[in-house]
Amino acid sequence: MTQDELKLAVAQAAIAYVVEGEIVGVGTGSTANFFIDELAKIKHKVKAAVASSEATAARLRGHGITVLDLNEVTSMPVYVDGADEITAQGAMIKGGGAALTREKIVASVAQKFICIADGSKLVQLLGKFPLPVEVIPMAHAVVARKLNSLGGEARLRLKDGQPLLTDNGNMILDVHGLQIADPQALEATINNIVGVVTVGLFAKQGADVCLLGTSEGVKTLVF
Ligand code: 5RP
């Protein structure tokens, strides 16, 4: 099976977790896009969606799905999103699509985080994928020095030769070379650096379920 076929398979499996008549939180990225396209087929069964990025909001609206501002929402049974890496304990690295802050905010409102990922994302140790950190632009150099002192090598993410700006108008530092043995501790440490908006470690509140696409079918990991 191709990676896209695996992503489609987990996106289809995630539809079973969508609660009829309720609001669904929707992540960002290529796997989340497959999920949005599947959600469109049952859109009459959901009340509305909350998006974790402008790109996701546009795709949802393109399918005629109502997108609500998170401030209007108090209850959300599930949030469905991909991951860049996930451990067998449900801790994740996210932010490859630069949407980590909004993803973490929307996920914090949901009762359950359903991670959808192809099998290549399951790792024993987080950190081979560079850890994204969203930073306030005026602080990117000082934050980079502090991240380097933790043992990584922070590089400013660029787009067309310029610093990439997130939907929130901030920048992303990608930290290379980390071996993250204690994801919860590192999440707290990096979130405490002044100038950091969010770190793309989702460990304190990780996934509740991971639907993992493999050549033997979709495996369900429950944490
Ligand atoms: C975006 C994310 C994505 O969920 C993550 O990058 C995985 O993306 P994809 O499904 O394209 O592999 O965190 O900020």
Side-chain angles (χ1 to χ4, degrees), residues 78-95:
V78 293
Y79 173 74
V80 180
D81 198 356
D84 298 302
E85 287 184 347
I86 182 163
T87 67
Q89 289 73 41
M92 296 171 282
I93 285 183
K94 292 185 45 54

Side-chain angles (χ1 to χ4, degrees), residues 156-165 171:
L156 196 59
R157 195 182 296 183
L158 302 178
K159 190 181 174 195
D160 304 325
Q162 295 298 316
L164 174 142
L165 292 183
M171 293 178 184

